Amino acid sequence: MLGPTARMIAQLLRHPVWRSGDAGDGTGQGVLLVPGFGFGDWSLRLLRSWLAARGYHPRGTRTGLNLGCTTRLVNHLEHRLEDLARTTGRRVIVIGQSRGGWLSRLAAVRRPDLVRGLVMLASPVLNPLGVHARGLELAQALVRLSAFGVPGLLDADCLRGACYRVNSALLRAPLPRQVPAVSVFSRNDSVVPWWLCQDPCADCVEVTSSHTGMGLDPDVYALLGPWLARWSADPRPTLFAVR
């Protein structure tokens, strides 16, 4: 008997959206895929394959399980954006799931010259610490392990220190006008309350999937197709400054 994730994968691969589109849709547009908290690039592998088949140039973040300090992760995303912008010659579309979405928003606020468009999937941009109790308990456990010397986990500074204050202020900042954004949310999300995804600077769109299942939901793929194609078709030259 198939488990829930396997069933969702099978449903996606059978859905017409998996075969829709054309190899020239993406016109070589770079797309950076940012996984959620505790997940690696492998969690967005199917989305990456779907994008590549449509002519996009998708890349992962190489951030492991996406558990580290917020500021260090955003710095790393900036470097990945610079590399991909340099490779493609234009600004990059960023798609982030859960924590990956609000990390991507931070990067877009800091470096709008590198970001063509932003998609946030089940991302608590209004308050990352407002997730349901299980998620917050996990974060606090990682902070305790970090205090005991386990490397690569969350620092206490990210939850209540200078790192938290700086990045909370950046999350409250409006997105630059040249960065269009979409925030996808679900009322069936048992990890992130849906109202925390209501970014006032983004088009907020509702789907019915679970939190972790959003990256496998055919409705999300059908939603993303036109947005990504429109952003990729922008004929204006892109200027970015690699620092």
Side-chain angles (χ1 to χ4, degrees):
M1 182 179 296
L2 294 177
T5 300
R7 286 197 297 271
M8 291 194 70
I9 292 173
Q11 180 184 15
L12 173 61
L13 297 181
R14 289 195 304 265
H15 197 279
V17 75
W18 184 256
R19 298 178 297 277
S20 65
D22 185 85
D25 287 349
T27 66
Q29 170 68 53
V31 183
L32 185 65
L33 301 175
V34 189
F37 185 72
F39 287 84
D41 290 335
W42 53 267
S43 65
L44 296 173
R45 187 183 308 157
L46 284 178
L47 179 55
R48 183 171 179 169
S49 297
W50 184 78
L51 290 168
R54 282 146 190 79
Y56 294 92
H57 191 107
R59 281 190 183 173
T61 59
R62 299 179 183 172
T63 53
L65 294 178
N66 210 13
L67 295 177
C69 166
T70 299
T71 298
R72 287 198 293 269
L73 285 171
V74 177
N75 289 340
H76 178 82
L77 290 186
E78 283 192 24
H79 292 310
R80 293 294 285 167
L81 286 169
E82 286 181 346
D83 288 344
L84 191 48
R86 188 185 296 110
T87 298
T88 61
R90 49 175 144 172
R91 288 185 294 158
V92 177
I93 294 172
V94 190
I95 303 176
Q97 184 168 6
S98 192
R99 188 190 194 194
W102 60 264
L103 290 175
S104 300
R105 192 188 194 282
L106 289 171
V109 170
R110 285 170 45 163
R111 296 297 305 276
D113 58 308
L114 294 174
V115 180
R116 174 64 187 93
L118 172 64
V119 177
M120 299 167 285
L121 304 177
S123 299
V125 293
L126 297 187
N127 180 12
L129 298 184
V131 298
H132 291 302
R134 287 173 298 171
L136 189 56
E137 289 169 359
L138 174 58
Q140 291 168 338
L142 293 175
V143 167
R144 290 193 293 271
L145 287 173
S146 181
F148 282 115
V150 180
L153 304 180
L154 273 178
D155 297 330
D157 195 44
C158 296
L159 296 186
R160 51 183 175 269
C163 178
Y164 170 77
R165 290 191 295 272
V166 168
N167 288 303
S168 293
L170 281 175
L171 269 182
R172 292 192 297 269
L175 281 168
R177 295 187 61 169
Q178 69 264 41
V179 181
V182 179
S183 180
V184 184
F185 68 95
S186 173
R187 296 173 195 264
N188 296 324
D189 193 327
S190 62
V191 177
V192 172
W194 66 269
W195 57 87
L196 295 183
C197 304
Q198 304 301 294
D199 191 322
C201 297
D203 290 295
C204 299
V205 184
E206 183 174 3
V207 295
T208 59
S209 62
S210 66
H211 182 76
T212 56
M214 200 168 284
L216 300 172
D217 185 351
D219 290 340
V220 173
Y221 285 64
L223 168 72
L224 292 182
W227 284 100
L228 301 182
R230 184 161 60 251
W231 292 343
S232 302
D234 187 347
R236 293 173 295 178
T238 296
L239 299 177
F240 55 90
V242 177
R243 297 176 181 175

